[in-house]
Amino acid sequence: MTEAAELPPAPEVAREVFGDRFADAVRYAELLAEAGVQRGLIGPREVPRLWERHILNCAVLSEVVPEGVTVCDVGSGAGLPGIPLALVREDLKITLLEPLLRRTNFLTEVVELLGLDHVTVVRGRAEEVMGTLSPVHVVTARAVAPLDRLATWGIPLLRPYGEMLALKGDTAEEELKSAATALSKLGAVGTSILQVGGDVVDPLSTVVRVEVGESPGGVRFAAKRAKAARTGRVRRRR
């Protein structure tokens, strides 16, 4: 039996979550189960639980993303949570940021196949795109790194008064406590743990929200941002 054959049918709740994009969500699940497994982006054992553990778990993040904002999905990997979020929320402008070529190739194929015109794929690391990628309202991430390290990558990509939304598991509260000092230095002004996905996923999806003030990334990254902006202006003049 192939991995694709092991993919279970979409649960009925997926029709409600994805609406007119349900068929695209099914195609995305099939791509993850086939090409995603073949290219090492998803483990074969994850195929039977792709819907509940991965796709729907990410789609419900839409409950806490404001309307009409720009989003950068850091370390997007196979497109989680960026692709499910894009399927649910066509009002968003989403950038899938991923450093590995085989992953960005997969993401580009998915975006083109599903006609996600509001999604852009960028290859690079968060620290490399500062100054070339316009600051965003929201940074998202899932299974990328512990919160303190993730924050050093994600928060500097935010515009003033933006927020980082990180999908976490049972370690959310512990990670938030451990990262408190680092978050403060990076310009965080508020944190909270949210539970989303009622009547959709069980257990609920856990989201760590980190809100920033007028200097995302703190003093250290303000200098880096200014330097990157100056370099960008010079390049444009040339």
Side-chain angles (χ1 to χ4, degrees):
M1 182 179 292
T2 65
E3 281 79 6
E6 295 171 3
L7 178 68
E12 193 61 32
V13 70
R15 292 183 179 273
E16 302 173 20
V17 171
F18 291 103
D20 293 342
R21 284 283 194 172
F22 172 69
D24 291 324
V26 171
R27 185 64 185 125
Y28 177 53
E30 293 170 347
L31 289 167
L32 286 176
E34 296 164 3
V37 171
Q38 293 165 7
R39 301 185 195 182
L41 307 183
I42 290 286
R45 294 182 180 180
E46 296 302 311
V47 173
R49 51 187 185 178
L50 271 178
W51 281 105
E52 288 80 4
R53 186 182 177 90
H54 299 285
I55 298 174
L56 288 171
N57 176 271
C58 290
V60 296
L61 182 63
S62 65
E63 295 178 17
V64 290
V65 177
E67 290 186 14
V69 299
T70 52
V71 178
C72 182
D73 189 30
V74 173
S76 196
L80 300 165
I83 296 294
L85 182 62
L87 288 169
V88 175
R89 297 285 301 278
E90 295 190 45
D91 60 300
L92 306 174
K93 295 292 184 183
I94 300 177
T95 298
L96 306 179
L97 182 62
E98 169 57 47
L100 296 184
L101 180 60
R102 62 188 172 89
R103 293 176 180 173
T104 54
N105 285 342
F106 175 79
L107 293 173
T108 299
E109 291 167 15
V110 171
V111 167
E112 292 177 354
L113 183 64
L114 302 185
L116 298 175
D117 298 332
H118 57 306
V119 178
T120 302
V121 178
V122 174
R123 184 185 176 196
R125 300 183 184 280
E127 58 269 30
E128 297 170 345
V129 301
M130 189 187 306
T132 59
L133 187 69
S134 297
V136 297
H137 297 90
V138 177
V139 162
T140 59
R142 177 181 187 258
V144 174
L147 187 62
D148 55 351
R149 200 185 327 156
L150 173 63
T152 65
W153 301 332
I155 288 180
L157 299 178
L158 290 169
R159 58 187 292 168
Y161 306 105
E163 59 184 352
M164 183 174 73
L165 300 172
L167 278 162
K168 291 288 182 179
D170 297 336
T171 63
E173 189 170 348
E174 180 182 336
E175 285 192 48
L176 190 52
K177 288 180 180 178
S178 299
T181 300
L183 292 175
S184 179
K185 290 180 179 178
L186 288 166
V189 296
T191 61
S192 54
I193 296 177
L194 312 173
Q195 300 288 326
V196 296
D199 299 324
V200 177
V201 291
D202 183 18
L204 299 178
S205 297
T206 301
V207 181
V208 175
R209 171 186 273 160
V210 179
E211 300 167 276
V212 300
E214 62 183 15
S215 299
V219 176
R220 174 187 168 195
F221 287 96
K224 281 190 173 184
R225 240 190 322 266
K227 181 179 179 181
R230 288 195 299 271
T231 302
R233 286 195 294 269
V234 169
R235 286 174 179 166
R236 284 193 293 273
R237 284 200 293 270
R238 289 176 181 171

